[in-house]
Amino acid sequence: MGDTLGSDSLLFLTDEQIRQGIEGMYFAYRGLTSEPDRILATLAYGRAHHRAIHFINRAPGTTVTNLLEILGVTKQSLNRVLRTLIEDGLVESRVGKIDKRERNLFLTEAGTALEARLSDAQRTRMRAAYREAGPEAVSGFRKVLEAMMDKELRQKYASLREANT
Amino acid sequence: MGDTLGSDSLLFLTDEQIRQGIEGMYFAYRGLTSEPDRILATLAYGRAHHRAIHFINRAPGTTVTNLLEILGVTKQSLNRVLRTLIEDGLVESRVGKIDKRERNLFLTEAGTALEARLSDAQRTRMRAAYREAGPEAVSGFRKVLEAMMDKELRQKYASLREANT
DNA sequence: TACATTAAGTCAGCCTTGTTGACACTCCAA
DNA sequence: TTGGAGTGTCAACAAGGCTGACTTAATGTA
């Protein structure tokens, strides 16, 4: 990539630089969630609801088990959140066509609307950050994020999204 | 930065690309906290304890009020965590020299040891991600994170750390 | 066909970590 | 000397994690 030092120069990354990266993740993550959190609070929802809404929107028709794996929480924990979303008419749970034990989850119109509202807030911030940092920085940003994830989980999510196309 | 399109090309960033960035933050953040979480669980501590330990280590001698601002939680919430850390001998609270109402917070030897253990886990992962992504990506990564943060909070933290030098 | 397994949901109870509100104490500065 | 700031604490509550145990329905298999 035009760097004569190559990736060996990473050996010279100081402890301090690594620590700043970790702190950066903390502060940036907070920055990214603060607006949605505010919106959710007015609706008596929390971040857990947001996560469920987000992933149901991204993989419509996904099953409860899939969602559990992606979110990494227990069935009981997810169910509490899912129940309120269904009761409030934001999420619809349809009995599976092939396997009737499964439930396929979808956002209703109202659910889609809330997803858009929450997502808009985040996308606006993200877009602003991208614009400020510049196109090359964005590509680097995404590369590092990719490398930081749990590969298994990443793969699981990718195939889940492919399946629902 | 050598991009003939300039930052205007960001206008062509699709919704999907922005969404992937948001999801990337979610999965990467989880990747970064999973190991520390496991360690903390064996010690009957949580992420809140980690955050306190982290920032006391980064700004030794900081006051409770400063810590409150950085963490963005209530006094009662922080105090509960701080109390257990002090009782367990990981944090020391010294009465301020200039202003005796203030408490200056420090890690004890045991506290420093735990900080190192938690931090090692995160730094190892971070370093691996940096190495995988390459030096240019790292610089971009940091730029985007910087741009995503709350500027005020970022500034507050920076000056706090300068003060404690 | 009978039985084991899987998907989903539920009940009860626990913990951490966040919140409000109220209050006391110490200390500093005007 | 008095008001306000920094700290600590009590009580009560809520969200959202967790474990364990159990039901129901549907599916797959011996």
Side-chain angles (χ1 to χ4, degrees):
Chain A
M1 308 281 271
D3 184 341
T4 46
L5 289 170
S7 55
D8 284 344
S9 65
L10 278 170
L11 296 173
F12 303 124
L13 270 178
T14 63
D15 207 77
E16 176 60 23
Q17 286 172 309
I18 301 274
R19 281 179 189 270
Q20 277 175 18
I22 294 167
E23 272 177 354
M25 280 297 289
Y26 171 69
F27 286 117
Y29 190 77
R30 267 184 58 181
L32 200 59
T33 50
S34 58
E35 245 311 281
D37 281 352
R38 251 189 297 274
I39 295 170
L40 290 158
T42 67
L43 304 169
Y45 291 139
R47 229 176 259 184
H49 298 87
H50 187 183
R51 286 195 284 264
I53 289 173
H54 173 93
F55 286 110
I56 293 172
N57 176 252
R58 294 284 281 170
T62 191
T63 64
V64 173
T65 303
N66 281 336
L67 207 48
L68 283 177
E69 288 183 4
I70 297 305
L71 295 174
V73 297
T74 59
K75 188 176 45 162
Q76 295 88 329
S77 208
L78 175 59
N79 201 257
R80 187 165 33 198
V81 165
L82 228 37
R83 191 165 40 202
T84 71
L85 291 175
I86 292 169
E87 279 170 8
D88 295 353
L90 300 182
V91 168
E92 195 190 343
S93 164
R94 296 186 207 149
V95 171
K97 279 184 184 166
I98 305 121
D99 186 335
K100 288 175 189 162
R101 288 171 304 178
E102 294 182 342
R103 298 299 130 88
N104 297 115
L105 303 169
F106 300 88
L107 292 187
T108 63
E109 235 177 90
T112 305
L114 178 55
E115 195 285 328
R117 212 178 137 204
L118 296 168
S119 170
D120 272 352
Q122 288 192 306
R123 286 203 308 272
T124 298
R125 184 150 199 146
M126 201 71 177
R127 212 180 283 274
Y130 276 9
R131 200 180 304 269
E132 193 180 322
E136 292 193 10
V138 170
S139 128
F141 171 70
R142 294 185 50 179
K143 260 189 214 160
V144 175
L145 286 191
E146 198 80 19
M148 276 173 63
M149 298 178 197
D150 181 292
K151 307 297 182 209
E152 268 187 60
L153 186 61
R154 209 238 162 284
Q155 184 47 45
K156 197 172 286 175
Y157 180 55
S159 59
L160 192 157
R161 278 187 32 91
E162 272 169 44
N164 293 66
T165 311
Chain B
M1 307 280 275
D3 185 340
T4 47
L5 289 170
S7 55
D8 283 344
S9 65
L10 279 170
L11 295 173
F12 303 124
L13 271 178
T14 63
D15 206 77
E16 176 60 23
Q17 286 173 309
I18 300 273
R19 281 179 188 268
Q20 278 176 17
I22 293 168
E23 272 177 354
M25 280 297 290
Y26 170 71
F27 286 118
Y29 191 78
R30 267 184 59 181
L32 200 59
T33 50
S34 58
E35 245 310 281
D37 281 352
R38 251 189 297 273
I39 296 170
L40 290 159
T42 68
L43 303 169
Y45 291 138
R47 228 177 258 186
H49 299 88
H50 188 185
R51 286 195 284 264
I53 288 174
H54 174 94
F55 285 110
I56 293 172
N57 176 253
R58 293 285 280 169
T62 191
T63 63
V64 173
T65 302
N66 281 337
L67 209 47
L68 283 177
E69 289 182 2
I70 296 306
L71 295 174
V73 297
T74 59
K75 187 175 48 160
Q76 294 88 331
S77 204
L78 175 59
N79 201 257
R80 186 165 32 197
V81 165
L82 230 36
R83 191 165 40 201
T84 71
L85 291 175
I86 291 169
E87 278 170 7
D88 295 352
L90 300 182
V91 167
E92 195 190 343
S93 164
R94 297 186 206 149
V95 173
K97 281 186 182 167
I98 305 119
D99 185 334
K100 289 174 188 162
R101 286 170 306 176
E102 294 184 342
R103 298 301 131 88
N104 296 112
L105 303 169
F106 299 89
L107 292 186
T108 63
E109 235 176 89
T112 306
L114 178 56
E115 195 285 328
R117 215 179 134 200
L118 295 168
S119 169
D120 272 351
Q122 288 192 307
R123 286 202 309 273
T124 298
R125 184 150 199 144
M126 201 71 176
R127 211 180 283 275
Y130 276 9
R131 199 180 304 269
E132 193 179 322
E136 291 193 9
V138 170
S139 126
F141 171 70
R142 294 184 51 180
K143 258 189 215 161
V144 174
L145 286 190
E146 199 80 19
M148 276 174 64
M149 298 178 197
D150 181 291
K151 307 297 183 209
E152 268 187 60
L153 187 59
R154 209 240 162 284
Q155 184 47 44
K156 197 172 285 175
Y157 179 55
S159 59
L160 192 158
R161 277 186 33 90
E162 274 170 41
N164 292 67
T165 312

